[in-house]
Amino acid sequence: YPLFCDVAEELSGLSEEKHMEIQIEQTDCFVLGQDRLLEQVFYNLLENAVKYSPPRTRVTVTAKREGDSVCIRVADEGEGIPEAYRGAVFDPFFRVDKSRSRSIGGSGLGLAVCKRILERHHAQISVLPNSPQGSIFEMIFPA
């Protein structure tokens, strides 16, 4: 939770420029891991959510315990990711829309790096649709 707040603060310039709200729901859940690596994952996911969402939308971060794991979700109100690409977005250099890469920037390695870091923490990541619009990046950590 504190790491997400730090990351949201770092991204506040970008989110304010787009008149977006980053909402982090308070929780008593926590995960164990290397702060710097997990901060890199959370930064990448939040930055993507802000970059790929239209202005005046919201990004929501939630964490809750589910059985013997902790589920963290980063939900946005962007274009969403077509079902056919939901597994491939974690492959190095993969882009859903190649034309967007020039305008938005980035190397296409962010989500692949996130997946590797999470695997080192015995966690899984997947992307789900957010109704009515957008994506939810879901991370499941062992509790």
Side-chain angles (χ1 to χ4, degrees):
Y1 177 78
L3 273 182
F4 267 111
C5 292
D6 291 348
V7 168
E9 184 63 35
E10 284 180 56
L11 290 168
S12 62
L14 182 60
S15 59
E16 286 169 11
E17 194 177 295
K18 292 182 76 173
H19 305 284
M20 292 181 68
E21 179 187 354
I22 298 176
Q23 181 179 331
I24 301 170
E25 294 184 7
Q26 280 200 297
T27 181
D28 56 2
C29 291
F30 64 91
V31 296
L32 297 175
Q34 295 181 320
D35 278 8
R36 190 169 285 150
L37 292 177
L38 291 177
E39 183 176 14
Q40 187 178 346
V41 171
F42 300 158
Y43 185 94
N44 192 288
L45 293 176
L46 271 182
E47 182 187 43
N48 282 352
V50 172
K51 277 198 313 194
Y52 293 112
S53 293
R56 302 186 199 304
T57 57
R58 175 184 299 162
V59 176
T60 307
V61 178
T62 57
K64 65 180 181 215
R65 191 160 183 137
E66 293 181 352
D68 54 1
S69 57
V70 172
C71 176
I72 300 174
R73 289 184 168 153
V74 177
D76 66 52
E77 299 171 1
E79 293 173 31
I81 296 170
E83 190 172 355
Y85 298 134
R86 288 189 197 137
V89 294
F90 300 104
D91 296 343
F93 307 113
F94 179 83
R95 290 196 178 274
V96 172
D97 180 352
K98 307 224 179 324
S99 65
R100 243 179 9 186
S101 59
R102 280 192 195 83
S103 61
I104 291 187
S107 64
L109 282 171
L111 290 175
V113 170
C114 287
K115 185 175 184 184
R116 293 284 299 275
I117 290 171
L118 290 168
E119 285 170 350
R120 284 181 56 183
H121 288 82
H122 307 288
Q124 300 167 316
I125 186 169
S126 57
V127 62
L128 312 165
N130 189 15
S131 186
Q133 180 177 316
S135 297
I136 299 171
F137 282 82
E138 179 181 77
M139 297 165 280
I140 299 177
F141 288 85

